[in-house]
Amino acid sequence: ALAIKKTSLDDDDEDFGVLMHFIGNSLFALKKYINALSYFEDSTERKKMHYGINDEEYAMAVVDKAATYVKLGDETRAMESYHDAIESGGLPSDSWELGIAHKYLGGFFFNKNMFDASFESYNVAIRIFEWCIDNGQVSTLKYDDIVQCYTHLLELEDDRSGPISESRGTICYKLANCYVEVNRHEDAVLMYREAIMIQSQIFGADHLSVANSLHNLGNCYRDVGDFDKSADCLSKSLSLSTAAFGDDHEDVADTCHCLAVTMTSRCELDDAIPLFERALAVRRKKLVGQDTNIASSLYNLAVVFQMKGQWNNAMRYCKEALKIQRLSLGDDNPVTSRTLECIGNIHKDRRDFEN
C-alpha cells in the first residue's frame, strides 16, 4: 500500500504517516524493533507536521515509539518519548495509553530513587486503569500493567506509611483482585490475607472491609480447590455482612451464593440449597426481573437438584434461568448455552432422549 501511494501521492501526504505507523506496529509485533523504530520515527514527524502535537494521532505514534525504545533497552529515550506524549495533551484523559505513559514514568523515577515523583506517576496510572476497568475497556492481558503499578506502590507505601496503614491495606486488596484476574491465585491469597490483617488492626475485625476481603479470599481458595478454607472465609464474611446490613441486602445475597457454590463443590448439597434459595429470594426482591444474577441463582439451584436426582425441580429452575438469559444475553452467549446443556442433561437423566 505504501509503495502504491508513493507513485500517486505527494511525499508530504498525510496518508504516509498513517501507513508508516501501521507498518511500525506490524514490525513491533514481529519483534523487529529496530525496523519498527525507523517507521515510528518517520510517522511521528509526519503526523506532527500534519496534525500538530496536540492531536491523538501524533501522541499515539509517540507512545508506540516509546514502547519500542523500551524493547531496545533505551530507557532515557523511552522516558522522554512517554513524557512528550503526556505533555502533548493528545492522548484522551481516559485512554489506556496515557496510563501506560504514566506507569513507565513511575518506573523510571523509581529506578532513579525519585520516590515522590514515582508515587505520583503510579497513582495517576492506576486512576486511569481503574476507570478503564470500570468501563469495560480492559482485557485480561492488560492487568499485568496494573499489577506492576500496585507492586511498586506497595514498596513505596512501606517507606511512606510503614507496614500498617489504611492505604497499604487498600493496595494489598486491589493488588489481590488483579492477581485473581491474571490467574495468580497463590499471590492473591497472600495479598488478601495481608489486607485482612491490616484492616483488622486499623478498623477492627468486624469491619466491612474485612468482610469484603474475606469474601474474595473465600472465592480465591475455592478457585484453587481448598474448599474447607473457602467455606470458613465465606462463612465469616456472611456473618459480618449480615450483622452490618441485615438479611435483606445484595452483598449478603452475593456471599450466600458464593458459600453455596463452595458447599456444592464439597458435595454438601443439603447445605447448599438453602443458601442458594436465600440468595435467590433477596435477588428477586432487589434486582430487576431479568437480571443475570437471578438467573445464576436459578441455574445453580438446578444443578444441585440435578445432582440430588430431583429432576422436576432441576428442570423448573433451569427453564426459568434460560428464559432470563435468552432475554438478557441472547441465544449465542456461552452462559445461555451452558443452561441449554444442563436441560439436555436433565432430559438424559430422565431417559427422555428425544428431548
Side-chain angles (χ1 to χ4, degrees):
L2 185 62
I4 292 170
K5 286 186 179 291
K6 282 183 176 179
T7 65
S8 58
L9 299 175
D10 293 335
D11 185 62
D12 61 351
D13 191 279
E14 65 181 87
D15 282 1
F16 287 125
V18 175
L19 272 173
M20 287 177 174
H21 194 169
F22 289 158
I23 295 171
N25 283 331
S26 297
L27 290 165
F28 185 94
L30 292 168
K31 299 182 180 180
K32 297 180 178 180
Y33 301 122
I34 294 176
N35 293 335
L37 180 61
S38 176
Y39 279 97
F40 285 141
E41 286 178 335
D42 202 339
S43 173
T44 300
E45 291 305 313
R46 289 174 180 273
K47 289 186 175 185
K48 182 178 180 180
M49 178 178 64
H50 283 286
Y51 305 119
I53 65 171
N54 302 122
D55 189 86
E56 184 178 355
E57 281 284 342
Y58 167 76
M60 288 297 295
V62 175
V63 166
D64 288 336
K65 181 172 70 171
T68 309
Y69 280 131
V70 171
K71 292 296 186 181
L72 292 171
D74 193 336
E75 186 180 74
T76 301
R77 288 186 179 176
M79 186 276 293
E80 290 172 350
S81 294
Y82 277 127
H83 184 267
D84 288 345
I86 294 169
E87 291 298 309
S88 75
L91 294 173
S93 60
D94 56 1
S95 71
W96 191 264
E97 289 75 18
L98 182 60
I100 291 293
H102 282 288
K103 186 203 89 166
Y104 187 84
L105 286 183
F108 178 83
F109 291 137
F110 185 89
N111 292 334
K112 298 295 184 183
N113 296 326
M114 300 168 64
F115 298 128
D116 288 341
S118 176
F119 188 82
E120 181 179 349
S121 293
Y122 278 131
N123 272 301
V124 172
I126 283 173
R127 284 197 295 272
I128 295 169
F129 291 154
E130 288 182 342
W131 186 94
C132 293
I133 293 171
D134 293 340
N135 288 273
Q137 297 183 12
V138 180
S139 66
T140 301
L141 292 175
K142 289 185 174 181
Y143 273 91
D144 286 331
D145 294 319
I146 314 174
V147 166
Q148 291 174 29
C149 287
Y150 278 129
T151 301
H152 280 299
L153 274 180
L154 208 54
E155 295 181 54
L156 293 166
E157 191 62 36
D158 281 342
D159 293 330
R160 295 170 67 89
S161 306
I164 305 296
S165 68
E166 180 178 350
S167 55
R168 181 179 173 80
T170 300
I171 293 171
C172 287
Y173 175 79
K174 290 184 175 181
L175 177 56
N177 290 341
C178 292
Y179 279 143
V180 171
E181 294 292 336
V182 295
N183 293 317
R184 292 173 58 178
H185 291 93
E186 292 182 0
D187 292 325
V189 165
L190 294 175
M191 284 296 103
Y192 282 133
R193 290 175 64 179
E194 185 168 352
I196 291 167
M197 181 271 293
I198 294 171
Q199 292 161 346
S200 298
Q201 289 194 38
I202 294 177
F203 304 116
D206 58 350
H207 195 266
L208 277 176
S209 62
V210 178
N212 290 334
S213 295
L214 282 167
H215 175 101
N216 289 359
L217 178 58
N219 287 336
C220 197
Y221 275 131
R222 185 179 62 247
D223 289 341
V224 298
D226 195 336
F227 303 129
D228 291 340
K229 288 182 179 177
S230 173
D232 181 58
C233 290
L234 289 166
S235 296
K236 290 177 180 176
S237 176
L238 182 59
S239 296
L240 293 176
S241 57
T242 302
F245 298 123
D247 291 326
D248 203 17
H249 192 275
E250 289 177 41
D251 286 359
V252 175
D254 290 345
T255 306
C256 277
H257 180 92
C258 291
L259 180 56
V261 172
T262 295
M263 292 301 183
T264 304
S265 298
R266 296 205 305 186
C267 294
E268 297 178 9
L269 306 183
D270 290 334
D271 292 323
I273 289 172
L275 288 166
F276 278 133
E277 289 175 337
R278 181 180 170 188
L280 177 61
V282 175
R283 287 174 170 178
R284 284 192 193 278
K285 185 175 181 180
K286 296 291 184 179
L287 302 176
V288 178
Q290 306 305 325
D291 192 280
T292 54
N293 281 328
I294 296 174
S296 178
S297 293
L298 291 164
Y299 170 80
N300 279 280
L301 272 169
V303 170
V304 173
F305 280 121
Q306 182 191 8
M307 292 170 71
K308 287 174 66 67
Q310 297 181 20
W311 297 314
N312 289 337
N313 285 333
M315 185 64 76
R316 174 166 57 90
Y317 283 120
C318 235
K319 285 185 174 180
E320 189 177 353
L322 181 64
K323 181 180 178 180
I324 294 172
Q325 289 163 350
R326 278 180 158 162
L327 289 170
S328 301
L329 304 173
D331 286 340
D332 296 332
N333 190 279
V335 174
T336 308
S337 175
R338 182 187 64 176
T339 304
L340 279 167
E341 182 179 1
C342 184
I343 290 174
N345 286 330
I346 295 169
H347 281 304
K348 184 176 72 173
D349 291 342
R350 299 162 85 174
R351 305 190 69 75
D352 182 0
F353 297 120
E354 288 187 8
N355 283 317

PDB file of all heavy atoms in Angstrom, residues 60-89:
ATOM      1  N   MET A  60      -0.291   9.049  19.784  1.00  0.00           N
ATOM      2  CA  MET A  60      -0.259   7.583  19.731  1.00  0.00           C
ATOM      3  C   MET A  60       1.016   7.085  19.057  1.00  0.00           C
ATOM      4  O   MET A  60       1.593   6.069  19.459  1.00  0.00           O
ATOM      5  CB  MET A  60      -1.490   7.067  18.982  1.00  0.00           C
ATOM      6  CG  MET A  60      -2.791   7.211  19.756  1.00  0.00           C
ATOM      7  SD  MET A  60      -2.810   6.241  21.277  1.00  0.00           S
ATOM      8  CE  MET A  60      -2.750   4.601  20.618  1.00  0.00           C
ATOM      9  N   ALA A  61       1.456   7.801  18.038  1.00  0.00           N
ATOM     10  CA  ALA A  61       2.705   7.414  17.380  1.00  0.00           C
ATOM     11  C   ALA A  61       3.884   7.565  18.333  1.00  0.00           C
ATOM     12  O   ALA A  61       4.803   6.726  18.354  1.00  0.00           O
ATOM     13  CB  ALA A  61       2.918   8.260  16.127  1.00  0.00           C
ATOM     14  N   VAL A  62       3.861   8.605  19.151  1.00  0.00           N
ATOM     15  CA  VAL A  62       4.931   8.820  20.135  1.00  0.00           C
ATOM     16  C   VAL A  62       4.925   7.713  21.177  1.00  0.00           C
ATOM     17  O   VAL A  62       5.983   7.205  21.582  1.00  0.00           O
ATOM     18  CB  VAL A  62       4.791  10.210  20.803  1.00  0.00           C
ATOM     19  CG1 VAL A  62       5.832  10.378  21.896  1.00  0.00           C
ATOM     20  CG2 VAL A  62       4.944  11.318  19.771  1.00  0.00           C
ATOM     21  N   VAL A  63       3.738   7.296  21.629  1.00  0.00           N
ATOM     22  CA  VAL A  63       3.628   6.207  22.598  1.00  0.00           C
ATOM     23  C   VAL A  63       4.211   4.914  22.042  1.00  0.00           C
ATOM     24  O   VAL A  63       4.961   4.196  22.716  1.00  0.00           O
ATOM     25  CB  VAL A  63       2.154   5.998  23.021  1.00  0.00           C
ATOM     26  CG1 VAL A  63       1.976   4.665  23.741  1.00  0.00           C
ATOM     27  CG2 VAL A  63       1.698   7.135  23.925  1.00  0.00           C
ATOM     28  N   ASP A  64       3.884   4.618  20.785  1.00  0.00           N
ATOM     29  CA  ASP A  64       4.409   3.393  20.181  1.00  0.00           C
ATOM     30  C   ASP A  64       5.923   3.477  19.987  1.00  0.00           C
ATOM     31  O   ASP A  64       6.639   2.468  20.122  1.00  0.00           O
ATOM     32  CB  ASP A  64       3.706   3.125  18.848  1.00  0.00           C
ATOM     33  CG  ASP A  64       2.274   2.663  19.036  1.00  0.00           C
ATOM     34  OD1 ASP A  64       1.967   2.123  20.111  1.00  0.00           O
ATOM     35  OD2 ASP A  64       1.459   2.858  18.123  1.00  0.00           O
ATOM     36  N   LYS A  65       6.416   4.664  19.678  1.00  0.00           N
ATOM     37  CA  LYS A  65       7.867   4.849  19.574  1.00  0.00           C
ATOM     38  C   LYS A  65       8.520   4.630  20.942  1.00  0.00           C
ATOM     39  O   LYS A  65       9.575   3.979  21.043  1.00  0.00           O
ATOM     40  CB  LYS A  65       8.186   6.252  19.054  1.00  0.00           C
ATOM     41  CG  LYS A  65       9.682   6.519  18.883  1.00  0.00           C
ATOM     42  CD  LYS A  65       9.947   7.849  18.194  1.00  0.00           C
ATOM     43  CE  LYS A  65       9.612   9.024  19.078  1.00  0.00           C
ATOM     44  NZ  LYS A  65      10.069  10.315  18.490  1.00  0.00           N
ATOM     45  N   ALA A  66       7.882   5.138  21.988  1.00  0.00           N
ATOM     46  CA  ALA A  66       8.411   4.954  23.344  1.00  0.00           C
ATOM     47  C   ALA A  66       8.466   3.478  23.720  1.00  0.00           C
ATOM     48  O   ALA A  66       9.456   3.001  24.297  1.00  0.00           O
ATOM     49  CB  ALA A  66       7.553   5.727  24.338  1.00  0.00           C
ATOM     50  N   ALA A  67       7.403   2.742  23.380  1.00  0.00           N
ATOM     51  CA  ALA A  67       7.378   1.306  23.682  1.00  0.00           C
ATOM     52  C   ALA A  67       8.499   0.569  22.969  1.00  0.00           C
ATOM     53  O   ALA A  67       9.065  -0.402  23.489  1.00  0.00           O
ATOM     54  CB  ALA A  67       6.026   0.716  23.297  1.00  0.00           C
ATOM     55  N   THR A  68       8.837   1.029  21.776  1.00  0.00           N
ATOM     56  CA  THR A  68       9.931   0.411  21.019  1.00  0.00           C
ATOM     57  C   THR A  68      11.267   0.694  21.683  1.00  0.00           C
ATOM     58  O   THR A  68      12.141  -0.189  21.762  1.00  0.00           O
ATOM     59  CB  THR A  68       9.928   0.931  19.569  1.00  0.00           C
ATOM     60  OG1 THR A  68       8.616   0.784  19.017  1.00  0.00           O
ATOM     61  CG2 THR A  68      10.907   0.147  18.714  1.00  0.00           C
ATOM     62  N   TYR A  69      11.450   1.914  22.177  1.00  0.00           N
ATOM     63  CA  TYR A  69      12.677   2.232  22.913  1.00  0.00           C
ATOM     64  C   TYR A  69      12.816   1.326  24.142  1.00  0.00           C
ATOM     65  O   TYR A  69      13.928   0.894  24.491  1.00  0.00           O
ATOM     66  CB  TYR A  69      12.670   3.696  23.358  1.00  0.00           C
ATOM     67  CG  TYR A  69      13.066   4.682  22.281  1.00  0.00           C
ATOM     68  CD1 TYR A  69      12.290   5.814  22.041  1.00  0.00           C
ATOM     69  CD2 TYR A  69      14.220   4.503  21.524  1.00  0.00           C
ATOM     70  CE1 TYR A  69      12.657   6.741  21.063  1.00  0.00           C
ATOM     71  CE2 TYR A  69      14.588   5.423  20.544  1.00  0.00           C
ATOM     72  CZ  TYR A  69      13.797   6.537  20.319  1.00  0.00           C
ATOM     73  OH  TYR A  69      14.167   7.446  19.354  1.00  0.00           O
ATOM     74  N   VAL A  70      11.696   1.035  24.801  1.00  0.00           N
ATOM     75  CA  VAL A  70      11.725   0.135  25.956  1.00  0.00           C
ATOM     76  C   VAL A  70      12.257  -1.232  25.538  1.00  0.00           C
ATOM     77  O   VAL A  70      13.127  -1.824  26.191  1.00  0.00           O
ATOM     78  CB  VAL A  70      10.314  -0.005  26.585  1.00  0.00           C
ATOM     79  CG1 VAL A  70      10.305  -1.108  27.649  1.00  0.00           C
ATOM     80  CG2 VAL A  70       9.866   1.308  27.202  1.00  0.00           C
ATOM     81  N   LYS A  71      11.738  -1.754  24.422  1.00  0.00           N
ATOM     82  CA  LYS A  71      12.178  -3.066  23.943  1.00  0.00           C
ATOM     83  C   LYS A  71      13.655  -3.062  23.560  1.00  0.00           C
ATOM     84  O   LYS A  71      14.343  -4.084  23.688  1.00  0.00           O
ATOM     85  CB  LYS A  71      11.328  -3.495  22.738  1.00  0.00           C
ATOM     86  CG  LYS A  71       9.874  -3.794  23.074  1.00  0.00           C
ATOM     87  CD  LYS A  71       9.748  -4.977  24.003  1.00  0.00           C
ATOM     88  CE  LYS A  71       8.297  -5.362  24.221  1.00  0.00           C
ATOM     89  NZ  LYS A  71       8.166  -6.510  25.168  1.00  0.00           N
ATOM     90  N   LEU A  72      14.141  -1.909  23.097  1.00  0.00           N
ATOM     91  CA  LEU A  72      15.546  -1.811  22.702  1.00  0.00           C
ATOM     92  C   LEU A  72      16.459  -1.467  23.877  1.00  0.00           C
ATOM     93  O   LEU A  72      17.677  -1.367  23.707  1.00  0.00           O
ATOM     94  CB  LEU A  72      15.697  -0.753  21.605  1.00  0.00           C
ATOM     95  CG  LEU A  72      15.053  -1.102  20.254  1.00  0.00           C
ATOM     96  CD1 LEU A  72      15.068   0.110  19.323  1.00  0.00           C
ATOM     97  CD2 LEU A  72      15.790  -2.281  19.610  1.00  0.00           C
ATOM     98  N   GLY A  73      15.864  -1.300  25.053  1.00  0.00           N
ATOM     99  CA  GLY A  73      16.664  -1.040  26.248  1.00  0.00           C
ATOM    100  C   GLY A  73      17.141   0.394  26.390  1.00  0.00           C
ATOM    101  O   GLY A  73      18.009   0.677  27.225  1.00  0.00           O
ATOM    102  N   ASP A  74      16.578   1.314  25.617  1.00  0.00           N
ATOM    103  CA  ASP A  74      16.972   2.726  25.691  1.00  0.00           C
ATOM    104  C   ASP A  74      16.017   3.440  26.644  1.00  0.00           C
ATOM    105  O   ASP A  74      15.041   4.072  26.236  1.00  0.00           O
ATOM    106  CB  ASP A  74      16.928   3.364  24.303  1.00  0.00           C
ATOM    107  CG  ASP A  74      17.633   4.719  24.261  1.00  0.00           C
ATOM    108  OD1 ASP A  74      17.736   5.352  25.329  1.00  0.00           O
ATOM    109  OD2 ASP A  74      18.062   5.127  23.168  1.00  0.00           O
ATOM    110  N   GLU A  75      16.322   3.339  27.930  1.00  0.00           N
ATOM    111  CA  GLU A  75      15.418   3.834  28.969  1.00  0.00           C
ATOM    112  C   GLU A  75      15.226   5.349  28.893  1.00  0.00           C
ATOM    113  O   GLU A  75      14.111   5.862  29.058  1.00  0.00           O
ATOM    114  CB  GLU A  75      15.971   3.444  30.348  1.00  0.00           C
ATOM    115  CG  GLU A  75      15.062   3.767  31.508  1.00  0.00           C
ATOM    116  CD  GLU A  75      15.671   3.344  32.820  1.00  0.00           C
ATOM    117  OE1 GLU A  75      16.602   4.020  33.275  1.00  0.00           O
ATOM    118  OE2 GLU A  75      15.205   2.344  33.393  1.00  0.00           O
ATOM    119  N   THR A  76      16.290   6.074  28.637  1.00  0.00           N
ATOM    120  CA  THR A  76      16.211   7.532  28.617  1.00  0.00           C
ATOM    121  C   THR A  76      15.302   8.028  27.508  1.00  0.00           C
ATOM    122  O   THR A  76      14.425   8.877  27.723  1.00  0.00           O
ATOM    123  CB  THR A  76      17.613   8.142  28.464  1.00  0.00           C
ATOM    124  OG1 THR A  76      18.429   7.717  29.563  1.00  0.00           O
ATOM    125  CG2 THR A  76      17.534   9.655  28.461  1.00  0.00           C
ATOM    126  N   ARG A  77      15.497   7.509  26.287  1.00  0.00           N
ATOM    127  CA  ARG A  77      14.659   7.954  25.179  1.00  0.00           C
ATOM    128  C   ARG A  77      13.214   7.487  25.347  1.00  0.00           C
ATOM    129  O   ARG A  77      12.280   8.187  24.925  1.00  0.00           O
ATOM    130  CB  ARG A  77      15.231   7.450  23.853  1.00  0.00           C
ATOM    131  CG  ARG A  77      16.514   8.176  23.447  1.00  0.00           C
ATOM    132  CD  ARG A  77      16.976   7.767  22.068  1.00  0.00           C
ATOM    133  NE  ARG A  77      18.182   8.495  21.694  1.00  0.00           N
ATOM    134  CZ  ARG A  77      18.852   8.297  20.570  1.00  0.00           C
ATOM    135  NH1 ARG A  77      18.432   7.378  19.709  1.00  0.00           N
ATOM    136  NH2 ARG A  77      19.941   9.000  20.297  1.00  0.00           N
ATOM    137  N   ALA A  78      13.026   6.329  25.952  1.00  0.00           N
ATOM    138  CA  ALA A  78      11.667   5.872  26.232  1.00  0.00           C
ATOM    139  C   ALA A  78      10.975   6.844  27.179  1.00  0.00           C
ATOM    140  O   ALA A  78       9.825   7.252  26.951  1.00  0.00           O
ATOM    141  CB  ALA A  78      11.696   4.470  26.835  1.00  0.00           C
ATOM    142  N   MET A  79      11.682   7.222  28.253  1.00  0.00           N
ATOM    143  CA  MET A  79      11.124   8.164  29.207  1.00  0.00           C
ATOM    144  C   MET A  79      10.805   9.495  28.538  1.00  0.00           C
ATOM    145  O   MET A  79       9.734  10.080  28.744  1.00  0.00           O
ATOM    146  CB  MET A  79      12.105   8.375  30.360  1.00  0.00           C
ATOM    147  CG  MET A  79      11.559   9.239  31.512  1.00  0.00           C
ATOM    148  SD  MET A  79      11.729  11.021  31.251  1.00  0.00           S
ATOM    149  CE  MET A  79      13.527  11.177  31.303  1.00  0.00           C
ATOM    150  N   GLU A  80      11.721   9.980  27.718  1.00  0.00           N
ATOM    151  CA  GLU A  80      11.498  11.254  27.031  1.00  0.00           C
ATOM    152  C   GLU A  80      10.280  11.174  26.111  1.00  0.00           C
ATOM    153  O   GLU A  80       9.481  12.122  26.041  1.00  0.00           O
ATOM    154  CB  GLU A  80      12.745  11.632  26.225  1.00  0.00           C
ATOM    155  CG  GLU A  80      13.948  12.020  27.095  1.00  0.00           C
ATOM    156  CD  GLU A  80      15.220  12.191  26.283  1.00  0.00           C
ATOM    157  OE1 GLU A  80      15.213  11.824  25.084  1.00  0.00           O
ATOM    158  OE2 GLU A  80      16.223  12.684  26.849  1.00  0.00           O
ATOM    159  N   SER A  81      10.131  10.059  25.419  1.00  0.00           N
ATOM    160  CA  SER A  81       9.003   9.919  24.493  1.00  0.00           C
ATOM    161  C   SER A  81       7.679   9.823  25.246  1.00  0.00           C
ATOM    162  O   SER A  81       6.677  10.447  24.854  1.00  0.00           O
ATOM    163  CB  SER A  81       9.201   8.683  23.608  1.00  0.00           C
ATOM    164  OG  SER A  81      10.319   8.844  22.761  1.00  0.00           O
ATOM    165  N   TYR A  82       7.650   9.040  26.323  1.00  0.00           N
ATOM    166  CA  TYR A  82       6.420   8.965  27.114  1.00  0.00           C
ATOM    167  C   TYR A  82       6.082  10.339  27.693  1.00  0.00           C
ATOM    168  O   TYR A  82       4.908  10.742  27.739  1.00  0.00           O
ATOM    169  CB  TYR A  82       6.567   7.941  28.238  1.00  0.00           C
ATOM    170  CG  TYR A  82       6.309   6.516  27.796  1.00  0.00           C
ATOM    171  CD1 TYR A  82       7.242   5.508  28.035  1.00  0.00           C
ATOM    172  CD2 TYR A  82       5.121   6.166  27.158  1.00  0.00           C
ATOM    173  CE1 TYR A  82       7.001   4.203  27.630  1.00  0.00           C
ATOM    174  CE2 TYR A  82       4.875   4.858  26.755  1.00  0.00           C
ATOM    175  CZ  TYR A  82       5.819   3.886  27.002  1.00  0.00           C
ATOM    176  OH  TYR A  82       5.578   2.603  26.608  1.00  0.00           O
ATOM    177  N   HIS A  83       7.098  11.058  28.162  1.00  0.00           N
ATOM    178  CA  HIS A  83       6.879  12.406  28.690  1.00  0.00           C
ATOM    179  C   HIS A  83       6.324  13.320  27.596  1.00  0.00           C
ATOM    180  O   HIS A  83       5.386  14.102  27.844  1.00  0.00           O
ATOM    181  CB  HIS A  83       8.191  12.966  29.248  1.00  0.00           C
ATOM    182  CG  HIS A  83       8.036  14.300  29.891  1.00  0.00           C
ATOM    183  ND1 HIS A  83       8.228  15.493  29.205  1.00  0.00           N
ATOM    184  CD2 HIS A  83       7.686  14.652  31.156  1.00  0.00           C
ATOM    185  CE1 HIS A  83       8.017  16.494  30.019  1.00  0.00           C
ATOM    186  NE2 HIS A  83       7.682  16.030  31.212  1.00  0.00           N
ATOM    187  N   ASP A  84       6.862  13.224  26.386  1.00  0.00           N
ATOM    188  CA  ASP A  84       6.364  14.035  25.269  1.00  0.00           C
ATOM    189  C   ASP A  84       4.900  13.706  24.967  1.00  0.00           C
ATOM    190  O   ASP A  84       4.101  14.607  24.669  1.00  0.00           O
ATOM    191  CB  ASP A  84       7.212  13.801  24.016  1.00  0.00           C
ATOM    192  CG  ASP A  84       8.594  14.434  24.118  1.00  0.00           C
ATOM    193  OD1 ASP A  84       8.798  15.274  25.020  1.00  0.00           O
ATOM    194  OD2 ASP A  84       9.466  14.070  23.296  1.00  0.00           O
ATOM    195  N   ALA A  85       4.560  12.415  25.019  1.00  0.00           N
ATOM    196  CA  ALA A  85       3.178  12.007  24.739  1.00  0.00           C
ATOM    197  C   ALA A  85       2.222  12.592  25.771  1.00  0.00           C
ATOM    198  O   ALA A  85       1.120  13.062  25.434  1.00  0.00           O
ATOM    199  CB  ALA A  85       3.075  10.488  24.722  1.00  0.00           C
ATOM    200  N   ILE A  86       2.637  12.580  27.043  1.00  0.00           N
ATOM    201  CA  ILE A  86       1.792  13.140  28.100  1.00  0.00           C
ATOM    202  C   ILE A  86       1.660  14.652  27.921  1.00  0.00           C
ATOM    203  O   ILE A  86       0.562  15.216  27.972  1.00  0.00           O
ATOM    204  CB  ILE A  86       2.375  12.816  29.487  1.00  0.00           C
ATOM    205  CG1 ILE A  86       2.312  11.303  29.751  1.00  0.00           C
ATOM    206  CG2 ILE A  86       1.630  13.568  30.589  1.00  0.00           C
ATOM    207  CD1 ILE A  86       3.095  10.868  30.982  1.00  0.00           C
ATOM    208  N   GLU A  87       2.787  15.306  27.711  1.00  0.00           N
ATOM    209  CA  GLU A  87       2.795  16.768  27.612  1.00  0.00           C
ATOM    210  C   GLU A  87       2.067  17.269  26.364  1.00  0.00           C
ATOM    211  O   GLU A  87       1.570  18.400  26.349  1.00  0.00           O
ATOM    212  CB  GLU A  87       4.233  17.288  27.606  1.00  0.00           C
ATOM    213  CG  GLU A  87       4.961  17.119  28.931  1.00  0.00           C
ATOM    214  CD  GLU A  87       4.280  17.894  30.043  1.00  0.00           C
ATOM    215  OE1 GLU A  87       4.019  19.099  29.857  1.00  0.00           O
ATOM    216  OE2 GLU A  87       3.994  17.292  31.102  1.00  0.00           O
ATOM    217  N   SER A  88       1.986  16.441  25.330  1.00  0.00           N
ATOM    218  CA  SER A  88       1.323  16.883  24.100  1.00  0.00           C
ATOM    219  C   SER A  88      -0.159  17.161  24.331  1.00  0.00           C
ATOM    220  O   SER A  88      -0.762  17.984  23.637  1.00  0.00           O
ATOM    221  CB  SER A  88       1.482  15.830  23.001  1.00  0.00           C
ATOM    222  OG  SER A  88       0.626  14.711  23.236  1.00  0.00           O
ATOM    223  N   GLY A  89      -0.746  16.466  25.304  1.00  0.00           N
ATOM    224  CA  GLY A  89      -2.179  16.610  25.541  1.00  0.00           C
ATOM    225  C   GLY A  89      -3.025  15.910  24.509  1.00  0.00           C
ATOM    226  O   GLY A  89      -4.264  16.026  24.525  1.00  0.00           O
TER     227      GLY A  89
END
